[in-house]
Amino acid sequence: MLEKTEKRRGASTGGQRALNYMPGFGNDFETESLPGALPQGQNSPQKCEYGLYAEQLSGSPFTAPRGTNERSWLYRIRPSVRHTGRFRKIDYPYWRTAPHVVEHSLALGQLRWSPLPTPSEKLDFLAGIRTMTTAGDVLTQVGMAAHAYVFNADMVDDYFFNADGELLIVPETGAIEVFTELGRMDVAPSEICLVPRGTMFKVARIGEEEAWRGYICENYGAKFTLPDRGPIGANCLANPRDFKTPVAAFEDKETPCRVQVKWCGSFHMVEIGHSPLDVVAWHGNYAPYKYDLKTFSPVGAILFDHPDPSIFTVLTAPSGEEGTANVDFVIFPPRWLVAEHTFRPPWYHRNVMSEFMGLIYGRYDAKEEGFVPGGMSLHNMMLAHGPDALGFEKATSGELKPVKLDNTMAFMFETRFPQQLTRFAAELETLQDDYIDCWAGLKKRFNGTPEGDWS
């Protein structure tokens, strides 16, 4: 196994390492693990250096406009046709794909779950994925799925690519190594990574935990990109320089391996005699990346009122309808609250969008009790939600001095489509049956006088 790196922080075996990355969002990168492996001045020489094969990986139609055209040229030990063969169907019964509308006993409502239970058996990353909701239709490449994961074993000789969509991975407990065709990424809680549609990868554990846990947004639609800043201007929110793409790294391994594929909601597997992570050099703009959520520069109200949550959008996948996302990835990071004469938490609202939320660490200011790290909530389209009774009391009675919300990181997968609950989510033992009661203490304060009843 060769790779272009400096000191490295080891996976579950320990040790220290620091991987190299290339900065920038959507850049055209070039990287090689061996000197001279990357052709210069052309993409497909008659004979590549080191006896490599040239292969293009396309993330868009060939004729897509230049600004949205995505492809990378890979120079690999074997072409990808040697990483396939006679597939056989397999099943991951807890990983579901839209459209997925099933009968279950749970009625419509605002929902919240505590974290997934720690598994008693050995599960790798793929086996540990549990679909909570699906939305849209994978066959027409619209919508998304919200997954949670929990696992305790490495993918050693197992490899995977998803033909249905890109995977936005959000660790909550335990750092992970995501080894892709185009290089390695170490991703810790408070960081995210994205594996593009069709890109081969495997996941291993870093450090020592009882289990590794987090969330995944599977985006069937147009790829995630940075939102337009509009009047905000050229800076703040997620800055392009803070996105990191891995340098080339490869495995030259001749052992029995398994390649697994997700295609139109079904799973297939083929056995091969070598590692498919054999890209020695590559160039292009279709590549995985990671991002540290702590580098997000929030913008908010500095005089009065609470801004729309869209001001915290890190990534957006457009739907084709301007201003309406197929899916947004939104975070609620540490920030100062300074607004005067203002109810500072998120206001009560109903929304045409559907919101799946998770908590990475700390407390969420609108729900300080019950919503815990590793937990999840679902507020589907047009279902009312907002701060619980405790949050309302604190916000309406507290002194309006500058306050810093610190040690907190929540996020939201928000989509224009209704999110259909899976049977697993409806029957999950950590479903909080009393979630709806968090608003029961919101009293009637109207008494016909301008002052109202605040007793």
Side-chain angles (χ1 to χ4, degrees), residues 333-336 361-365 403-409:
R335 60 201 183 276
W336 282 94
Y361 59 81
R363 290 182 173 183
Y364 179 54
D365 62 318
V403 174
K404 187 177 183 182
L405 291 179
D406 212 354
N407 188 36
T408 181
M409 186 68 73

Side-chain angles (χ1 to χ4, degrees), residues 94-164:
Y94 297 109
W95 189 337
R96 298 302 186 183
T97 303
H100 182 71
V101 182
V102 296
E103 293 294 328
H104 52 71
S105 60
L106 198 60
L108 180 68
Q110 302 92 331
L111 303 172
R112 188 167 69 189
W113 296 263
S114 298
L116 291 180
T118 299
S120 56
E121 72 275 28
K122 285 294 183 182
L123 298 176
D124 67 13
F125 176 76
L126 296 180
I129 291 175
R130 303 289 185 263
T131 305
M132 301 298 291
T133 69
T134 66
D137 185 351
V138 73
L139 301 179
T140 55
Q141 297 191 353
V142 294
M144 50 81 71
H147 312 287
Y149 72 79
V150 59
F151 72 100
N152 52 18
D154 297 338
M155 296 172 64
V156 178
D157 295 318
D158 287 282
Y159 304 84
F160 177 75
F161 72 86
N162 189 351
D164 287 347

Side-chain angles (χ1 to χ4, degrees), residues 25 166 222-227 289 313-318:
F25 187 91
E166 60 186 356
K223 72 178 187 67
F224 276 113
T225 188
L226 296 178
Y289 57 81
T313 301
V314 180
L315 294 166
T316 185

Side-chain angles (χ1 to χ4, degrees), residues 354-411:
S354 299
E355 304 173 2
F356 179 92
M357 285 193 66
L359 185 61
I360 301 171
Y361 59 81
R363 290 182 173 183
Y364 179 54
D365 62 318
K367 305 249 184 4
E368 293 189 13
E369 303 295 334
F371 189 37
V372 298
M376 297 157 280
S377 69
L378 176 64
H379 301 137
N380 244 317
M381 58 185 300
M382 288 304 173
L383 290 182
H385 52 285
D388 59 18
L390 174 62
F392 179 85
E393 292 295 333
K394 290 183 64 174
T396 52
S397 62
E399 181 184 357
L400 290 181
K401 60 183 180 180
V403 174
K404 187 177 183 182
L405 291 179
D406 212 354
N407 188 36
T408 181
M409 186 68 73
F411 73 88

Side-chain angles (χ1 to χ4, degrees), residues 153-327:
D154 297 338
M155 296 172 64
V156 178
D157 295 318
D158 287 282
Y159 304 84
F160 177 75
F161 72 86
N162 189 351
D164 287 347
E166 60 186 356
L167 296 176
L168 178 66
I169 302 172
V170 185
E172 179 268 323
T173 296
I176 57 176
E177 178 196 68
V178 182
F179 191 171
T180 76
E181 293 180 85
L182 284 73
R184 294 176 181 266
M185 298 179 290
D186 284 354
V187 191
S190 82
E191 296 180 320
I192 61 172
C193 75
L194 186 135
V195 180
R197 183 194 303 261
T199 301
M200 196 87 67
F201 71 99
K202 66 177 180 178
V203 176
R205 300 161 296 159
I206 296 177
E208 299 295 333
E209 302 284 351
E210 186 177 5
W212 282 250
R213 193 173 62 197
Y215 312 89
I216 302 171
C217 180
E218 183 180 8
N219 172 27
Y220 310 139
K223 72 178 187 67
F224 276 113
T225 188
L226 296 178
D228 290 332
R229 292 190 180 101
I232 295 173
N235 303 293
C236 294
L237 307 187
N239 288 306
R241 65 177 297 208
D242 295 320
F243 289 81
K244 309 297 184 184
T245 291
V247 299
F250 68 94
E251 285 184 328
D252 186 8
K253 184 172 71 173
E254 306 280 339
T255 59
C257 295
R258 292 163 296 277
V259 173
Q260 302 174 60
V261 182
K262 182 173 184 284
W263 192 89
C264 292
S266 62
F267 294 88
H268 308 263
M269 190 266 282
V270 62
E271 296 180 359
I272 60 177
H274 51 270
S275 169
L277 303 183
D278 63 355
V279 177
V280 178
W282 64 270
H283 76 87
N285 62 352
Y286 192 62
Y289 57 81
K290 62 176 283 187
Y291 174 73
D292 187 344
L293 299 176
K294 297 190 297 295
T295 64
F296 185 86
S297 178
V299 176
I302 57 174
L303 190 58
F304 62 87
D305 284 352
H306 188 290
D308 294 341
S310 51
I311 203 72
F312 300 113
T313 301
V314 180
L315 294 166
T316 185
S319 68
E321 179 181 343
E322 186 174 359
T324 304
N326 179 70
V327 56

